[in-house]
Amino acid sequence: MTFVLPGDVIPTATSQTSFGPGLAPLDTSNQAGPSRARGQFTSSTSSEGNSTESARVVATKAGTLVSSDGKGKKGGVWIESNSRRYTPASRDLVLGTIIARHADGYRVDIGSASMASLDALAFEGATKRSKPNLKVGTLIYARVSLASRDMEPELECFDPATGKSDGFGELKEGLVVDCSLQLCRRLLTPKNPLLPILASVIPFEIAIGLNGRIWFKSSSIDETIALQRVIQGIDDGSLAETKGELEKALKAYMA
């Protein structure tokens, strides 16, 4: 991992690399700077699928350059920082609260500088005659379909690859925990052991938003609150991220 500053040029890998928040493509045609400030994108490729040249990107914020091993799939590269304000990026998974309704959809609070919009048809199987009727205050799990610094972000509650909901949509009951953006991104990393450790003690449902929100639902209120306290302890550093320590904390909180 490497610490970078805004404006640092980061020559990276190939067409198999996916670039995330904190990185933008370097426009070498006119040296005018990055063509967009955030979002996820891949390096350009030729018609044969090979990289036409080494992907070159520029950092748009200070932080640690982090990469993940895609294991045959597209690996990811992004910048991790201590920011508490969420900046929407295309394809991010987010938890949001509906704050207003209008004829064509909803306005959603996702914790960013501006509210997000959610089209009433952006759900699995939704049509003009048959679409969800969500109330103000409803918690939803969604995917950022469009993110631009010049427009408010747009959301969708289905997987565009399959057309199915795949867990997106309204989240009922449960408990929402606010935590750091870094912890949410770590928990979504496939190799992260924290969630399997917690699930070995308490079975639960979970939805993790890259906007610093986590939703839990277990079979009892006591178990849900125990999970909340453990996650908050991990986030503030008061709990060690070891199997023994986490299991002991969960059992103590449920006692």
Side-chain angles (χ1 to χ4, degrees):
M1 294 188 293
T2 305
F3 184 80
V4 296
L5 296 172
D8 284 354
V9 177
I10 304 168
T12 50
T14 66
S15 60
Q16 295 302 308
T17 302
S18 178
F19 302 102
L23 298 173
L26 181 64
D27 186 355
T28 57
S29 60
N30 56 16
Q31 300 299 320
S35 59
R36 57 178 172 177
R38 53 182 175 269
Q40 293 182 327
F41 46 90
T42 56
S43 58
S44 59
T45 58
S46 64
S47 58
E48 289 79 13
N50 298 321
S51 177
T52 56
E53 61 181 21
S54 293
R56 289 175 63 83
V57 296
V58 62
T60 60
K61 65 180 181 180
T64 303
L65 186 66
V66 182
S67 63
S68 62
D69 181 7
K71 281 194 172 182
K73 301 180 180 179
K74 290 185 178 180
V77 181
W78 67 92
I79 292 180
E80 202 73 85
S81 67
N82 292 325
S83 173
R84 301 291 297 189
R85 168 62 64 86
Y86 170 65
T87 301
S90 179
R91 294 186 289 180
D92 273 0
L93 308 179
V94 295
L95 286 166
T97 303
I98 293 177
I99 60 171
R101 301 173 46 165
H102 52 81
D104 299 322
Y106 308 92
R107 301 266 297 168
V108 184
D109 174 18
I110 59 173
S112 61
S114 60
M115 298 297 108
S117 62
L118 173 63
D119 194 290
L121 300 179
F123 294 83
E124 178 186 358
T127 64
K128 290 184 178 180
R129 292 189 176 184
S130 176
K131 52 190 177 183
N133 181 24
L134 304 179
K135 299 179 181 179
V136 172
T138 298
L139 180 69
I140 61 165
Y141 193 43
R143 176 182 180 272
V144 178
S145 58
L146 177 64
S148 169
R149 61 183 177 184
D150 302 317
M151 300 171 59
E152 66 180 16
E154 296 181 7
L155 308 177
E156 58 190 8
C157 287
F158 66 95
D159 186 338
T162 62
K164 303 296 183 180
S165 62
D166 289 340
F168 294 116
E170 181 180 1
L171 297 177
K172 299 180 180 179
E173 301 177 343
L175 180 68
V176 177
V177 179
D178 292 324
C179 56
S180 67
L181 306 183
Q182 295 89 336
L183 177 60
C184 290
R185 195 171 294 279
R186 280 201 298 127
L187 291 177
L188 284 172
T189 303
K191 293 183 179 179
N192 192 284
L194 292 177
L195 295 182
I197 291 174
L198 298 181
S200 67
V201 181
I202 300 176
F204 60 89
E205 296 178 54
I206 189 171
I208 303 170
L210 290 172
N211 55 335
R213 298 173 183 175
I214 301 176
W215 172 84
F216 291 106
K217 183 180 178 181
S218 61
S219 59
S220 72
I221 296 177
D222 289 343
E223 290 178 344
T224 302
I225 293 176
L227 289 169
Q228 174 199 20
R229 296 179 67 180
V230 167
I231 286 295
Q232 290 176 333
I234 293 171
D235 197 24
D236 63 25
S238 61
L239 277 179
E241 298 181 24
T242 63
K243 183 176 181 180
E245 183 74 13
L246 295 177
E247 290 179 348
K248 178 180 177 181
L250 281 174
K251 292 175 182 178
Y253 292 147
M254 290 188 296

